[in-house]
């Protein structure tokens, strides 16, 4: 490990120890259950909905966030109340286990996955442990349907890692690591080598799709749930347009479809997904930005509404969230409109559990954009359930360098 990574790891260790002590002190009495510490919340605190927000923290990421922020979300008013800040380096993507007992994070520019226990009464998190994911700059992680394995997309290393989850929520030593093969795309700056940016299970949980921005490929793997070993699917990948730079993928919940946001091509590709073979076939490619926009842009996030009727995609440069309607027969998309975020670089967005509010996280990242007044914010949009249109709610949560959000609770 290089000196920079070693220094970052020491910083994580020091901050975790300091903040863990503060978290325990604030939460009250502590019990040991199954070999891990659990903070007992006051009995009068009812269960609620919580939002966990990861933020970039280092100058290399143009980050000035604190780490992982915990917010209590009022389901009626939509108001966010800050509950906790746990200072860790660049928690760039977060995910929860199915029971919402544990939170897991990867860390930009490091080669680690970290685990945290969740107090369901106050939402606070307590650090458990960390493990290597086998490759620097892990940018995404997913948990398999059995809840036993974490899959990471290691961007800078061009690899996919598998890390086991123990029964107490802690992480075990890495179980597998696969390097992604292929020829780099034509963009010499952003496609010099393999850059996997996502690792997502299909709805059946049988296949893992890994968009590779550097190789213009979307790889597909199978996971052996008994051993944690990855096997390349047959066919092992689908090729995107040269220079497209596929970044993130979202599967339709009840139709055999997948949608990919192409970062470098500023486009959204629709794929027919064969759930038996694990194959992807392109059926449509649309721009993710309006034809009237002539500035620089890169695509970032993509998601399918819980209803399955709409697809959303974010743009950095145009600084917007695009809305597409899904043709329920063909599966193809039709542009509905673009909601401007009034801020730089909506790297991430996520829908609340009810699918009624879309939250755009504006991390800046040093990118140019239309407006700056809401940069370092999470901007909330109301979702029209009939036509998918996003309307500003007037609510913007101030968070420095937010880059990922997950929701937990009722």
């Amino acid at each position: 490990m290089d000196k920079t990574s070693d220094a970052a790891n020491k910083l994580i260790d020091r901050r975790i120890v300091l903040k863990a002590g503060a978290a325990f002190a604030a939460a009250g009495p502590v019990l040991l259950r199954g070999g891990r510490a659990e903070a007992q919340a006051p009995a009068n605190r009812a269960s609620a909905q919580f939002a966990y927000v990861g933020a970039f923290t280092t100058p290399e990421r143009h980050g000035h966030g604190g780490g992982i922020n915990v917010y209590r979300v009022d389901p009626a008013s939509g108001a966010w109340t800050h509950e906790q800040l746990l200072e860790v380096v660049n928690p760039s993507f977060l995910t929860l286990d199915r029971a919402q007992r544990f939170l897991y994070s990867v860390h930009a520019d490091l080669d680690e996955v970290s685990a945290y226990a969740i107090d369901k009464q106050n939402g606070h998190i307590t650090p458990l442990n960390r493990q290597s994911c086998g490759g620097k700059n892990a940018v995404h992680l997913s948990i398999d349907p059995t809840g036993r394995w974490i899959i990471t997309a290691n961007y800078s290393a061009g690899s996919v890692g598998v890390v086991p989850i123990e029964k107490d929520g802690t992480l075990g030593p890495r179980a597998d690591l696969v390097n992604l093969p292929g020829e780099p795309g034509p963009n010499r700056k952003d496609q010099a080598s393999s850059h996997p940016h996502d690792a997502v299970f299909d709805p059946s949980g049988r296949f893992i799709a890994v968009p590779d921005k550097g190789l213009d490929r979307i790889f597909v793997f199978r996971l052996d749930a008994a051993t944690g070993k990855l096997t390349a699917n047959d066919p092992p990948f689908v090729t995107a347009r040269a220079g497209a730079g596929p970044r993130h993928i979202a599967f339709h919940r009840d139709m055999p479809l997948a949608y990919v946001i192409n970062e470098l091509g500023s486009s959204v590709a629709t794929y027919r997904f064969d759930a038996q073979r694990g194959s992807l076939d392109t059926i449509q490619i649309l721009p993710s930005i309006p034809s009237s926009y002539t500035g620089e842009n890169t695509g970032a996030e993509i998601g399918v509404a819980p209803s399955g009727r709409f697809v959303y995609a974010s743009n950095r440069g145009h600084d917007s969230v695009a809305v597409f309607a899904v043709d329920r027969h063909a599966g193809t998309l039709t542009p509905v409109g673009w909601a401007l975020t009034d801020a730089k670089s909506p790297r991430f967005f996520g829908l609340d559990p009810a699918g009624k509010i879309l939250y755009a996280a504006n991390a800046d990242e040093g990118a140019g954009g239309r407006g700056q007044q809401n940069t370092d914010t999470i901007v909330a949009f109301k979702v029209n359930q009939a036509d998918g249109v996003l309307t500003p709610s007037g609510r913007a949560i101030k968070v420095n360098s937010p880059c990922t959000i997950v929701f937990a609770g009722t």
Side-chain angles (χ1 to χ4, degrees), residues 118-351:
I118 296 175
D119 185 316
K120 289 198 173 185
Q121 293 300 309
N122 60 24
H124 287 196
I125 57 175
T126 302
L128 295 177
N129 75 328
R130 296 173 291 145
Q131 289 285 355
S132 169
C133 58
K136 191 175 181 180
N137 195 15
V139 292
H140 187 272
L141 75 167
S142 294
I143 299 176
D144 84 305
T146 70
R148 295 179 58 193
W149 309 100
I150 284 177
I151 315 300
T152 67
N154 305 327
Y155 181 89
S156 295
S159 62
V160 179
V162 183
V163 175
I165 300 175
E166 308 295 349
K167 291 182 179 180
D168 62 358
T170 60
L171 301 169
R174 187 180 68 253
D176 202 7
L177 184 67
V178 175
N179 293 315
L180 301 180
E183 293 297 321
N187 187 315
R188 293 184 179 182
K189 177 183 176 183
D190 293 309
Q191 295 184 306
S193 63
S194 167
H195 291 313
H197 213 298
D198 212 12
V200 178
F201 283 89
D202 79 301
S204 74
R206 297 175 58 202
F207 302 98
I208 307 162
V210 181
D212 192 314
K213 169 184 160 182
L215 303 183
D216 286 328
R217 290 178 173 180
I218 302 167
F219 291 90
V220 180
F221 293 93
R222 294 173 182 259
L223 174 71
D224 186 326
T227 64
K229 299 300 181 182
L230 293 170
T231 303
N233 187 55
D234 183 14
F237 60 85
V238 62
T239 302
R241 275 181 178 170
R247 177 183 171 97
H248 280 191
I249 186 169
F251 285 91
H252 199 284
R253 186 175 60 180
D254 51 24
M255 295 177 69
L257 300 166
Y259 302 96
V260 171
I261 180 75
N262 292 313
E263 177 176 336
L264 304 179
S266 293
S267 60
V268 174
T270 301
Y271 292 87
R272 184 75 61 187
F273 177 65
D274 187 322
Q276 297 303 313
R277 298 181 61 233
S279 60
L280 293 161
D281 295 301
T282 316
I283 60 175
Q284 182 191 36
I285 301 176
L286 290 175
S288 65
I289 51 177
S291 58
S292 59
Y293 180 71
T294 59
E296 297 295 323
N297 187 78
T298 56
E301 186 60 273
I302 193 159
V304 181
S307 66
R309 298 176 58 199
F310 307 101
V311 169
Y312 299 96
S314 66
N315 294 294
R316 296 172 296 180
H318 187 247
D319 296 332
S320 65
V321 178
V323 183
F324 299 92
V326 177
D327 185 309
R328 297 293 292 185
H329 298 289
T332 51
L333 302 178
T334 301
V336 173
W338 286 264
L340 299 179
T341 60
D342 260 347
K344 286 184 179 181
S345 197
R347 175 187 176 91
F348 176 90
F349 67 79
L351 291 161

Side-chain angles (χ1 to χ4, degrees), residues 2-40:
D2 59 33
K3 292 181 179 179
T4 301
S5 297
D6 186 57
N9 290 340
K10 289 180 180 178
L11 180 59
I12 289 180
D13 288 330
R14 180 162 93 46
R15 287 178 169 175
I16 281 180
V17 170
L18 290 175
K19 287 296 179 177
F24 282 134
V30 174
L31 294 178
L32 289 177
R33 294 178 179 169
R36 66 179 178 84
E38 290 187 348
Q40 289 183 298

